[in-house]
Amino acid sequence: MSRRATLRRVGLLVLGVNLVLALLKGGVWAVTGSFAVQSEAVNSAADTAYSLVIVAGLYLTTQPPDFEHPHGHERIEPFVSLFVAAGIFVAGGVVFWQAGTVLLSGDVAVTRGPAAVSVLVLSGVAKYGLYRYCLAVGRDRNSPALVATATDNRNDILTAGAALVGVAGALLGFPLADPLAALVVAVGILYTGVEVVQDNVAYLVGAAPPEDLRKEILKRALSHPEVRGAHDVIAHYVGPEIDVSLHIEVEGDLTLREAHDIETAVIKSVQALPEVDDVFVHVDPKELGEWKADDEVERLADLE
């Protein structure tokens, strides 16, 4: 299945699951009055709202290249992820304010009945399934929006667990456990937002990719039998994809066609990495003395 179809399918699945959970939790909250379940209902409502944004964002990012966007639309994805983070922060703030208000007032109702426990257990199971699925697809298809969604679902498992502890405590005669659990849920929600922002800032500011990937890029460039060395190797994120530029040194007596073939081979080798988009290679005749020491290249190539 194509990347476009896969991402859209996952986005619709996440939207559907979050919508069902939001409705279930909202209904249980209306019946039981549990603040922990209320906080989880707010969390799922926020998840549903940002799932709509994810579906729309993934639709845009998977559009084919056009005249105005010759490299495609994948660079929209980090902005989709940051919108997810904004929604997470709002949800966390609302839950924190509601739980804090209840604790300060001292007016805590006792939750009764098994419905609250059941819906939270169901939520934890559903969120675990979404976490594993979104993470696997997000990594396989290099989608920061889906990885951000997986992070949110992972933390939703923890918040559902905290809410479950609060509900169980209230059932056992400790009503304060319910709003206290809601506070824990709020902190978990806010922490999720911080993680999503941290994961996506690198895509927006053009940060370098992980060291193992940079090492693999250099290894591929130097693996060509006619390449004598490399310098000025730069790899950086442009959206979720990586652009690479580097200089390679070759024998100066090569014909233009031979040098061109070497350049093309190096470009294809590096571009075969799934994370890499564009590769720019400059060919230097080694006899001209343009080579210069590059500590980073030597370190990555284990030449020191």
Side-chain angles (χ1 to χ4, degrees):
M1 185 177 294
S2 67
R3 183 179 189 271
R4 178 188 309 178
T6 300
L7 296 188
R8 292 179 181 179
R9 181 191 64 191
V10 176
L12 290 172
L13 174 65
V14 172
L15 173 61
V17 172
N18 283 328
L19 178 59
V20 170
L21 288 177
L23 293 174
L24 286 175
K25 291 175 184 177
V28 172
W29 166 58
V31 173
T32 64
S34 168
F35 291 106
V37 174
Q38 179 192 27
S39 68
E40 277 291 289
V42 172
N43 189 19
S44 291
D47 288 347
T48 303
Y50 84 65
S51 295
L52 285 170
V53 178
I54 289 176
V55 170
L58 291 178
Y59 176 81
L60 292 175
T61 63
T62 53
Q63 291 295 303
D66 53 36
F67 179 76
E68 294 182 345
H69 306 88
H71 292 281
H73 300 75
E74 289 85 358
R75 297 173 190 180
I76 298 174
E77 279 205 47
F79 293 99
V80 175
S81 302
L82 291 181
F83 190 92
V84 170
I88 292 171
F89 285 132
V90 171
V94 170
V95 172
F96 194 90
W97 179 82
Q98 289 177 332
T101 301
V102 171
L103 282 172
L104 291 176
S105 69
D107 183 18
V108 182
V110 178
T111 302
R112 301 187 184 280
V117 174
S118 300
V119 76
L120 292 175
V121 171
L122 174 64
S123 177
V125 172
K127 287 296 185 175
Y128 178 77
L130 283 180
Y131 161 65
R132 298 294 300 177
Y133 185 54
C134 290
L135 185 64
V137 176
R139 287 177 174 174
D140 181 60
R141 299 293 184 168
N142 191 29
S143 171
L146 285 188
V147 172
T149 302
T151 301
D152 180 48
N153 284 305
R154 182 200 65 193
N155 287 345
D156 283 346
I157 301 169
L158 302 178
T159 59
L164 184 60
V165 170
V167 169
L171 288 171
L172 293 173
F174 302 97
L176 282 178
D178 197 0
L180 284 174
L183 283 178
V184 174
V185 172
V187 173
I189 295 171
L190 293 171
Y191 180 73
T192 300
V194 172
E195 283 192 305
V196 172
V197 170
Q198 289 176 336
D199 289 343
N200 285 273
V201 164
Y203 296 132
L204 296 174
V205 300
E211 184 170 298
D212 59 340
L213 183 56
R214 287 183 282 141
K215 187 171 183 177
E216 180 61 25
I217 290 170
L218 180 61
K219 177 182 176 182
R220 292 187 177 220
L222 294 175
S223 65
H224 193 287
E226 299 297 330
V227 174
R228 303 290 182 250
H231 62 269
D232 290 341
V233 181
I234 300 174
H236 63 98
Y237 282 108
V238 180
E241 297 180 326
I242 297 169
D243 280 2
V244 178
S245 64
L246 69 155
H247 289 228
I248 57 174
E249 297 93 38
V250 300
E251 297 291 342
D253 59 357
L254 297 175
T255 66
L256 178 59
R257 182 181 294 275
E258 290 171 332
H260 174 268
D261 289 343
I262 295 170
E263 174 194 11
T264 301
V266 171
I267 289 175
K268 288 182 177 180
S269 178
V270 176
Q271 212 164 32
L273 291 167
E275 301 90 343
V276 174
D277 182 20
D278 284 334
V279 181
F280 306 92
V281 175
H282 182 80
V283 180
D284 291 334
K286 69 181 184 64
E287 292 82 5
L288 293 183
E290 291 187 357
W291 182 89
K292 55 186 177 182
D294 193 322
D295 294 338
E296 179 68 5
V297 167
E298 292 183 357
R299 184 181 68 81
L300 292 176
D302 294 327
L303 298 178
E304 290 185 332

